[in-house]
Amino acid sequence: MKDVVVIGGGPSGVACALTLYEKDFDVGIIEINEELGGLLDQCIHDGFGTKLFNEGLSGPEFVSRFIEKLEKSTVEIMLNSFVKSVNVSGSVKEIICITPNGVKKVKTKSIVYAIGCRERNEYEIFIGGSRPSGVLTAGAVQRLVNLYGILPGKNVIIVGGGDVGMIVARHLFFEGVDNILMVYPEEFFTGLPRNVQQCVLDFDIKYQPQTIVKNVIGNKRIEAVELVKVDKFWNPINGTEKVVKCDSLILSVGLIPYSDKLEEIGAEIDDCTNGPVVNEYYETTVKGIFSIGNLIQIFDYVDDAVETAFIAANGVEHYLKNKTHKKDDFIKLKLGENVNCLTPQRINKITDEISVFFRPGLTCKTPKISLVNKEGKVLKEFSKPFVRPSTLENLKIPLELIINEEEVSLNVRAKEK
Amino acid sequence: MNLESKLRKLVKIENVTFELKDNIVFINGTVKDYNEWIEIGLNIGSLKEVEGVVNNVIWNKNQNSLDKKRNDQRLKIYNSQKNKNAGNYDIIIIGAGVIGCFIARELSKYRNSILVLEKGSDVCLGASRANNGMIHPGISPSFDTLKRKLNIRGNTLYDKICSELDVPFKRVGSLILITSKTFEKYKKKMPGFLYRFVLKKIIPILAKRKGRKNGVKDIEIIKGDKIFELEPWATKEALLALYIPSTGILDPYELTIALSENALENGVNIQLKTEVVGFNKEREKITGVVTSKGTFNCKLVINAAGVFSDEIADLAGSKEFTIHPRKGVEILFNKNVKPGVNHCTAELIIPTPKTSKGGGVNPAIHGNIIWGPTAIEIPSKTDKTVTREEINLMLERYSSVLNKDFPKEKMIRYFAGVRAPTFTEDFIIRPAKWVENLIHVAGIQSPGLASAPAIAEYVLELVQNKGFCKLKNSNFKSKRKGIPTVADMNLDELQKRIEENSSWGNIICTCEMISEAEIVEAINRGAQSIDAIKRRTRAGMGSCQLSYCRLKIANILSRELKIPLNQIIKESSDSTLYDGIVRGEKL
């Protein structure tokens, strides 16, 4: 029986497996594809690792720093393996995998899920019209261009003003697609300022804020889209419709954690993150089952996603060394004013410091960020120069500050005038 | 009063005239809009003696030039193909939807040579693929209709057919809810006590009696908590419900594909991407069907062309009806909605709308939940668009059947299909009036799928009356095996398969757990596009809607068909996934 099995060989998964190996545990890692690396395989642009390694690496470079060590280790790497089901009976977990070598059963004391997320598709943003070919998601396009050398088309409309959309726009421009138009419902680009400059402005890529795709036009291959202007609440403004010709529509409209598999084994799912409810060690509500990376909430930086892997590795160690905590003895960390989602949702009082990632619900300079207890008492205030919904923020909260509370909420308020 | 004078009374719109020939009514002239065009057709079609309405009334100034353009295109192909013999058959079926394929399989039990012509790139591309897969019990159609008769019979045939063809089928039963909306139209027209009495006592009994008279055997009236035990998602407004256990569900494309595979095995030829553009005739007899791929000579033609059946009838010289396309939008929900919907659930509305009223909330055979279809009259036969407004309206409207807590955010896809009703709103299944060797199978709208096996039997009788299909085909194989699925296998069976062929262990679509072996098998059975594979294996039908596995499937197609990745298509030719440009080539 293994001490721990990591499911998913993306950046968080490999980082977690390696850390656990370095802690001397018997570790296995399961990956569905034929090699480790996950999404970073296809991310050939740079900028990865600025926090973790203090340098800007490409995706494959970043992830290979872990993979190379992992391949030299005794960690059992199971490639081409699809996890069909997981049976949890007390402290022993059995993973059933389907592989080209047969059905494989793996017994383990604990599991770390690192299966990431999927891209939102055209149906999830209510795009109307016909359903022809030529409508793709940004990640799939990145894979197509970078791994197969095929371009999606020559007249491209990109939906979404976030980082992925901008990076794909620049990349298509490099590869020779001259006609690119970006549209997004927000007033401004939502990605990092450096990407706005380096991906869009530097190359004069056209963009149209406060715009959504109302309808797709074309029966076989997409021929055009009907764009429409939207108001502050993203409601279409009648009479502003405009048909724009294109041969591809690329969607970069958000990511959804793959939490179905965790739901199947009884883990509680958070409606705000769409990922599992976790504690400060990223343990789910099922004992001995941990969850990290983009599966718990969508990160802006791979460095942050990998941080969850390091923390969860400590959690697994804690669990395997039988330093049990009472599952039901926790402080509830709740969404207060202007916070869209956060992790961890519960705090089992096992680490001295809690790393909280949260997504603010408003855009403002020098907001008042506060931790408030059930009685409404402000426990601590934090300062940030600037917050906005598209940037995930991190806070370190000392346990002693909240140890006697039942629940605390995190609030973000605009600076008083 | 004879039909002529009834019509004279009815057709009072200025600029509209009518002609009557063999109980077929031709209307000509102009009206101001499409609604008027529909209305006049339906009014005439509702007269009992009318056997067909050909609506030649112009509602749109461009109509003539559009028709002319299409006819010119057809004529051009016709002239180039009419003398090219492409083969000789006893019977030609036009259209490879569920009806065409069912007829083909039924006729293949006899010793005749049969050809199915289909203009699409696969079988089942019309209304047959875009419906909710419900096998209706037969409670809704009016008693004197052909629909009613064939629906009742068709429903009973499904257990046998599906077991022969290895198509998943389940009799889930339906619940027809009686709510405060059921009789709303009359609420203000009668005293409250009477309204309540009619709603709670009279309506359920009348509805049950109508069903019984139609030939539906088991109908139960259910009250109170029992409704919610059967259907936890039913709206709390439900007062009573009719429970009909014989209602079934299946996947309509799985059925149609199975029928086509079985027909092929029994000697039927199916020609895809072959469009009928005209007919060669000797006096009132068809001698050959002229298509985009040459002329197929034949002795008998069956018109099962769905929304295009009026155009086929016209080309053959026996236009006896006009199709008025009716779009149905459907919404599909993720399998992980718990609990699922157990029954085909709908609301009873009185009076029953004359045209198909649209579907309710149904379980789908592979565990999803499906809402719809709606029923919207549209001018175009190919308009399968779904607008944002339609989705919002549906999410609102269908909520009245379900409990408010239903997780609408678990919607994973919406789509639309186009039904093929005629103005008489009944099936038109009969020998053509003015061509000797043509049989129309037209106006097949709801409950067309439920009736399909009985339609095939009924057509067989008509074919035999014409002197065909007299000798049994002693080699007929009634059984067909579907593609085995990893999702349904136990571990021992899966292990054995992987030992024989490792691609059973390579999972491509993670949402639905579909292996490479299943995809390759679908390609071996004729799938040549992403969507054709999807319909045969369910790869891409889960919550990610192909965003994860599209490229993987495209790679397998590319390898198996030996064509470059950038030429892989979604459905038809010209629907390449990636527009065919390779990096480094000049744009």
Side-chain angles (χ1 to χ4, degrees):
Chain A
M1 180 155 44
K2 292 249 175 317
D3 290 324
V4 56
V5 170
V6 178
I7 303 177
S12 315
V14 292
C16 192
L18 185 66
T19 312
L20 285 161
Y21 165 75
E22 285 164 354
K23 287 178 188 285
D24 271 344
F25 291 113
D26 183 3
V27 186
I29 183 166
I30 297 174
E31 164 58 41
I32 187 171
N33 287 305
E34 56 194 6
E35 51 189 17
L36 298 172
L39 190 72
L40 289 195
D41 257 11
Q42 66 191 53
C43 296
I44 60 171
H45 52 284
D46 77 343
F48 299 94
T50 47
K51 290 188 184 182
L52 204 60
F53 300 118
N54 269 324
E55 52 185 316
L57 305 170
S58 73
E61 279 173 329
F62 178 93
V63 75
S64 63
R65 298 219 168 167
F66 301 102
I67 294 175
E68 277 165 18
K69 286 185 194 161
L70 206 55
E71 280 171 345
K72 283 180 204 141
S73 74
T74 55
V75 170
E76 188 185 353
I77 302 172
M78 294 164 262
L79 299 173
N80 298 311
S81 302
F82 171 80
V83 174
K84 180 178 191 280
S85 58
V86 172
N87 301 321
V88 181
S89 55
S91 57
V92 179
K93 284 104 189 154
E94 188 186 46
I95 303 170
I96 296 173
C97 292
I98 302 176
T99 83
N101 300 320
V103 176
K104 188 169 175 165
K105 295 177 186 173
V106 185
K107 283 202 169 137
T108 177
K109 292 177 196 157
S110 61
I111 300 176
V112 181
Y113 274 85
I115 53 179
C117 55
R118 66 170 176 84
E119 300 187 86
R120 288 175 80 200
N121 57 49
E122 59 267 42
Y123 301 101
E124 289 167 301
I125 57 166
F126 296 91
I127 289 187
S130 55
R131 293 165 297 284
S133 73
V135 181
L136 300 165
T137 52
V141 167
Q142 221 173 34
R143 199 163 187 84
L144 180 75
V145 176
N146 296 347
L147 269 59
Y148 296 91
I150 294 176
L151 297 178
K154 47 200 158 209
N155 196 357
V156 171
I157 291 178
I158 297 174
V159 183
D163 291 315
V164 181
M166 291 192 278
I167 287 162
V168 167
R170 174 178 63 180
H171 207 86
L172 291 176
F173 178 83
F174 284 162
E175 298 298 342
V177 181
D178 291 329
N179 225 346
I180 302 169
L181 171 66
M182 297 188 71
V183 299
Y184 46 90
E186 299 90 352
E187 206 176 335
F188 303 103
F189 280 104
T190 56
L192 302 171
R194 73 163 194 219
N195 282 333
V196 177
Q197 188 62 47
Q198 294 169 9
C199 297
V200 181
L201 302 178
D202 286 356
F203 302 101
D204 284 335
I205 286 169
K206 285 179 283 177
Y207 56 92
Q208 224 168 287
Q210 293 175 296
T211 303
I212 61 167
V213 174
K214 186 175 176 188
N215 284 312
V216 166
I217 300 165
N219 282 323
K220 292 172 175 174
R221 174 90 191 182
I222 185 171
E223 288 160 18
V225 291
E226 187 184 7
L227 300 177
V228 64
K229 287 265 172 201
V230 292
D231 63 19
K232 260 198 292 195
F233 309 103
W234 299 13
N235 294 317
I237 302 168
N238 282 337
T240 63
E241 290 86 355
K242 194 177 149 198
V243 173
V244 178
K245 284 195 171 172
C246 67
D247 63 11
S248 307
L249 181 67
I250 299 175
L251 307 176
S252 169
V253 291
L255 303 164
I256 312 250
Y258 264 126
S259 51
D260 288 17
K261 299 277 177 189
L262 279 165
E263 206 175 355
E264 276 169 26
I265 57 167
E268 197 183 314
I269 305 299
D270 178 351
D271 289 339
C272 301
T273 59
N274 289 311
V277 171
V278 290
N279 71 7
E280 64 269 47
Y281 269 151
Y282 301 116
E283 188 177 10
T284 68
T285 54
V286 183
K287 267 214 144 177
I289 304 278
F290 295 76
S291 158
I292 55 173
N294 275 347
L295 175 60
I296 55 168
Q297 75 179 329
I298 306 302
F299 289 91
D300 299 342
Y301 292 92
V302 68
D303 306 63
D304 289 342
V306 165
E307 188 189 314
T308 67
F310 298 147
I311 294 172
N314 291 336
V316 173
E317 181 179 24
H318 176 90
Y319 174 81
L320 290 174
K321 290 188 174 160
N322 284 321
K323 291 183 194 159
T324 50
H325 55 270
K326 278 196 192 135
K327 194 180 143 188
D328 294 329
D329 178 23
F330 61 84
I331 307 160
K332 211 168 171 184
L333 186 53
K334 285 181 64 174
L335 303 179
E337 256 176 81
N338 295 317
V339 176
N340 289 347
C341 62
L342 59 74
T343 56
Q345 294 88 343
R346 36 174 83 175
I347 295 161
N348 280 115
K349 309 172 198 174
I350 28 184
T351 57
D352 295 336
E353 189 185 70
I354 299 119
S355 179
V356 175
F357 284 101
F358 70 99
R359 210 164 270 284
L362 87 175
T363 304
C364 78
K365 276 184 184 164
T366 57
K368 277 174 76 177
I369 301 172
S370 59
L371 210 53
V372 178
N373 73 3
K374 211 175 172 183
E375 287 73 39
K377 187 181 157 206
V378 176
L379 302 174
K380 192 174 177 176
E381 292 197 342
F382 304 84
S383 65
K384 295 266 176 194
F386 178 70
V387 292
R388 54 180 194 160
S390 54
T391 305
L392 192 71
E393 296 289 346
N394 182 252
L395 291 176
K396 307 284 185 210
I397 299 176
L399 177 64
E400 56 177 16
L401 190 72
I402 54 171
I403 193 146
N404 296 320
E405 306 294 337
E406 225 176 280
E407 67 176 54
V408 289
S409 67
L410 187 66
N411 299 272
V412 179
R413 292 196 186 97
K415 195 173 61 172
E416 280 150 32
K417 279 170 192 158
Chain B
M1 201 161 37
N2 70 7
L3 183 54
E4 183 101 28
S5 42
K6 277 188 197 166
L7 283 165
R8 217 166 293 133
K9 229 178 136 188
L10 201 62
V11 183
K12 277 192 175 153
I13 305 176
E14 220 183 323
N15 301 331
V16 174
T17 58
F18 71 89
E19 283 167 63
L20 184 63
K21 183 183 167 192
D22 299 342
N23 286 352
I24 305 296
V25 185
F26 294 79
I27 39 178
N28 295 293
T30 52
V31 289
K32 67 173 195 302
D33 61 19
Y34 192 68
N35 285 340
E36 253 187 13
W37 186 85
I38 292 280
E39 201 184 314
I40 186 163
L42 286 176
N43 282 340
I44 294 173
S46 66
L47 293 175
K48 214 177 165 189
E49 302 87 335
V50 173
E51 289 178 48
V53 179
V54 178
N55 191 345
N56 291 326
V57 172
I58 300 292
W59 64 274
N60 163 4
K61 272 178 255 160
N62 301 327
Q63 194 58 43
N64 273 337
S65 69
L66 286 172
D67 286 351
K68 187 172 180 304
K69 198 175 153 196
R70 190 194 55 212
N71 291 343
D72 287 351
Q73 277 168 355
R74 277 188 185 144
L75 194 63
K76 205 175 143 194
I77 304 172
Y78 176 81
N79 284 330
S80 71
Q81 301 294 325
K82 67 179 175 189
N83 295 322
K84 283 186 197 161
N85 183 4
N88 303 307
Y89 293 86
D90 292 329
I91 302 167
I92 289 180
I93 300 164
I94 302 173
V98 69
I99 301 300
C101 290
F102 239 124
I103 295 170
R105 185 206 184 233
E106 189 67 25
L107 301 191
S108 73
K109 294 174 181 170
Y110 297 85
R111 280 158 60 180
N112 279 103
S113 59
I114 299 160
L115 170 68
V116 180
L117 295 174
E118 167 58 49
K119 88 179 161 95
S121 56
D122 195 359
V123 302
C124 201
L125 291 189
S128 307
R129 75 163 159 180
N131 59 76
N132 62 6
M134 180 172 168
I135 305 304
H136 297 70
I139 193 169
S140 303
S142 306
F143 184 77
D144 332 311
T145 57
L146 183 58
K147 271 189 202 175
R148 198 267 317 165
K149 192 178 133 191
L150 297 177
N151 184 174
I152 297 284
R153 168 87 183 141
N155 179 295
T156 63
L157 295 172
Y158 264 105
D159 305 272
K160 182 168 175 257
I161 286 283
C162 289
S163 102
E164 283 176 349
L165 299 178
D166 196 14
V167 171
F169 168 66
K170 201 172 161 197
R171 291 201 186 269
V172 292
S174 50
L175 274 183
I176 302 175
L177 307 177
I178 295 172
T179 70
S180 54
K181 275 201 184 151
T182 297
F183 202 46
E184 210 176 21
K185 213 173 163 185
Y186 296 91
K187 191 171 181 178
K188 289 192 177 134
K189 293 183 185 165
M190 54 175 72
F193 73 91
L194 185 61
Y195 165 78
R196 283 188 295 275
F197 180 73
V198 172
L199 182 65
K200 289 185 182 169
K201 300 285 175 197
I202 306 291
I203 287 174
I205 290 168
L206 287 181
K208 187 174 169 179
R209 197 175 290 168
K210 182 191 174 209
R212 281 255 178 86
K213 189 184 168 205
N214 269 5
V216 183
K217 282 183 196 123
D218 301 316
I219 303 172
E220 212 181 307
I221 297 173
I222 289 182
K223 292 174 193 167
D225 285 347
K226 183 83 193 290
I227 299 173
F228 307 107
E229 265 168 48
L230 283 173
E231 198 49 71
W233 285 120
T235 171
K236 298 280 178 240
E237 306 273 305
L239 307 165
L240 296 158
L242 295 182
Y243 172 61
I244 308 152
S246 58
T247 304
I249 52 167
L250 51 72
D251 250 343
Y253 35 83
E254 275 182 356
L255 172 69
T256 309
I257 289 163
L259 287 163
S260 71
E261 286 179 4
N262 190 235
L264 277 172
E265 181 162 11
N266 287 305
V268 172
N269 186 358
I270 301 177
Q271 287 284 333
L272 301 173
K273 300 181 200 167
T274 310
E275 186 181 352
V276 174
V277 292
F279 293 86
N280 286 341
K281 282 168 74 179
E282 272 171 22
R283 286 188 299 276
E284 298 317 321
K285 198 168 177 188
I286 296 168
T287 56
V289 181
V290 185
T291 75
S292 53
K293 291 196 178 156
T295 297
F296 298 90
N297 293 328
C298 66
K299 296 170 187 158
L300 182 68
V301 177
I302 296 168
N303 172 13
V307 286
F308 301 103
S309 56
D310 54 348
E311 293 171 47
I312 294 294
D314 195 18
L315 289 172
S318 202
K319 186 163 182 184
E320 302 160 28
F321 48 86
T322 297
I323 300 290
H324 56 104
R326 189 184 294 143
K327 185 171 82 171
V329 178
E330 279 151 290
I331 299 182
L332 197 68
F333 289 86
N334 201 344
K335 285 176 172 178
N336 68 2
V337 175
K338 293 276 165 1
V341 167
N342 301 323
H343 304 85
C344 299
T345 308
E347 236 178 335
L348 182 65
I349 299 292
I350 289 178
T352 316
K354 201 162 39 174
T355 57
S356 4
K357 60 189 190 325
V361 170
N362 283 7
I365 192 76
H366 293 289
N368 303 81
I369 295 168
I370 188 165
W371 291 12
T374 57
I376 312 154
E377 299 291 340
I378 50 162
S380 161
K381 292 175 175 180
T382 51
D383 177 8
K384 295 175 193 169
T385 57
V386 178
T387 64
R388 196 175 269 259
E389 291 80 9
E390 281 172 326
I391 294 298
N392 286 335
L393 262 174
M394 269 185 94
L395 289 175
E396 204 153 291
R397 183 185 138 201
Y398 281 78
S399 302
S400 73
V401 180
L402 297 179
N403 185 326
K404 285 186 182 59
D405 304 330
F406 185 87
K408 291 183 206 170
E409 69 281 2
K410 298 214 169 185
M411 174 181 88
I412 57 171
R413 187 186 174 87
Y414 36 84
F415 57 90
V418 183
R419 303 177 187 83
T422 66
F423 287 108
T424 46
E425 295 290 340
D426 197 358
F427 300 159
I428 293 182
I429 307 175
R430 63 176 181 230
K433 288 184 180 271
W434 308 307
V435 174
E436 271 173 39
N437 53 346
L438 173 67
I439 294 171
H440 292 309
V441 189
I444 311 298
Q445 54 165 312
S446 176
L449 180 66
S451 310
I455 292 174
E457 283 182 350
Y458 190 79
V459 171
L460 173 65
E461 232 180 277
L462 297 178
V463 169
Q464 286 173 330
N465 291 344
K466 293 269 181 194
F468 296 87
C469 292
K470 296 286 186 190
L471 290 172
K472 283 250 180 194
N473 171 6
S474 53
N475 295 325
F476 178 76
K477 291 191 192 85
S478 64
K479 296 233 187 272
R480 166 261 183 196
K481 281 308 281 177
I483 301 175
T485 55
V486 168
D488 293 339
M489 280 177 208
N490 65 40
L491 295 180
D492 292 339
E493 196 186 342
L494 180 57
Q495 175 66 27
K496 237 167 123 186
R497 285 207 183 257
I498 297 173
E499 280 168 17
E500 282 164 20
N501 173 356
S502 65
S503 66
W504 284 102
N506 183 15
I507 301 299
I508 302 294
C509 163
T510 56
C511 300
E512 297 286 322
M513 213 188 327
I514 310 298
S515 68
E516 182 185 348
E518 288 157 71
I519 291 167
V520 171
E521 176 61 17
I523 297 169
N524 291 340
R525 292 185 185 207
Q528 302 206 349
S529 66
I530 299 285
D531 284 1
I533 286 176
K534 184 169 147 186
R535 285 189 292 274
R536 282 162 179 81
T537 63
R538 297 189 56 75
M541 289 211 183
S543 56
C544 91
Q545 288 291 308
L546 284 169
S547 65
Y548 173 78
C549 58
R550 184 186 281 113
L551 190 53
K552 292 188 169 204
I553 299 169
N555 267 310
I556 298 173
L557 266 168
S558 164
R559 183 191 72 205
E560 294 295 311
L561 299 177
K562 299 187 176 61
I563 51 178
L565 184 59
N566 59 354
Q567 287 168 25
I568 298 301
I569 51 176
K570 174 179 186 278
E571 180 81 270
S572 53
S573 47
D574 305 331
S575 68
T576 50
L577 293 184
Y578 310 125
D579 223 24
I581 303 155
V582 179
R583 178 153 70 172
E585 276 182 7
K586 240 183 168 178
L587 288 182

